[in-house]
Amino acid sequence: MRRFKNVLKISVVLCLITASISDLFAGESHLISEPESGKIIYVSKSGSNKNDGSKANPLKNIDKAIDISQPGDQIYIAEGTYMGTFDCGYLQSAKAIQLYGSWDEGFTKQDIKNHPTVF
């Protein structure tokens, strides 16, 4: 039951991200603001899980970012296809965090058409 609740929470977050993506395709402009509490953790296919998750030194895997995150943190994910550390096909968390994909490699621009992120 606990695993179901965790998977459900991730599903809800991904649905929220999908809703935001739909708005982007509808031509609406959205700016993601700095988190009110917490920090931003960065993930890139060119990163390393030995990094600290900063903009200059992103992590490689989303699940590693989830592991080190705290409630209220945001995770920015650069373009690419992500399957988890063991290519398990799902992400799981009991923490109240937010995931934002479709960033360029430098995390300066979020653009789903030019920098798609696939979970």
Side-chain angles (χ1 to χ4, degrees):
M1 182 67 167
R2 182 178 178 165
R3 181 177 174 158
F4 173 76
K5 288 181 182 177
N6 290 338
V7 171
L8 180 62
K9 288 177 187 176
I10 290 294
S11 297
V12 169
V13 170
L14 292 176
C15 286
L16 292 173
I17 291 170
T18 302
S20 295
I21 290 169
S22 296
D23 289 344
L24 287 173
F25 279 119
E28 295 180 25
S29 176
H30 294 277
L31 295 176
I32 298 172
S33 60
E34 293 289 322
E36 291 180 22
S37 63
K39 63 182 177 182
I40 298 174
I41 301 170
Y42 297 88
V43 177
S44 171
K45 296 299 280 184
S46 62
S48 168
N49 285 341
K50 294 180 180 181
N51 288 346
D52 61 3
S54 65
K55 190 174 186 178
N57 299 299
L59 296 169
K60 183 173 182 140
N61 298 105
I62 297 170
D63 53 340
K64 176 65 175 179
I66 290 171
D67 287 344
I68 68 168
S69 69
Q70 298 296 316
D73 286 353
Q74 294 181 355
I75 300 174
Y76 285 12
I77 306 162
E79 63 186 305
T81 301
Y82 299 84
M83 295 289 291
T85 300
F86 300 110
D87 292 331
C88 57
Y90 70 92
L91 301 168
Q92 179 176 323
S93 176
K95 302 172 187 174
I97 56 175
Q98 298 172 334
L99 296 118
Y100 296 100
S102 298
W103 288 95
D104 64 1
E105 281 294 318
F107 297 98
T108 58
K109 184 175 182 177
Q110 188 181 34
D111 182 342
I112 190 163
K113 290 180 182 177
N114 294 316
H115 309 290
T117 299
V118 180
F119 299 140

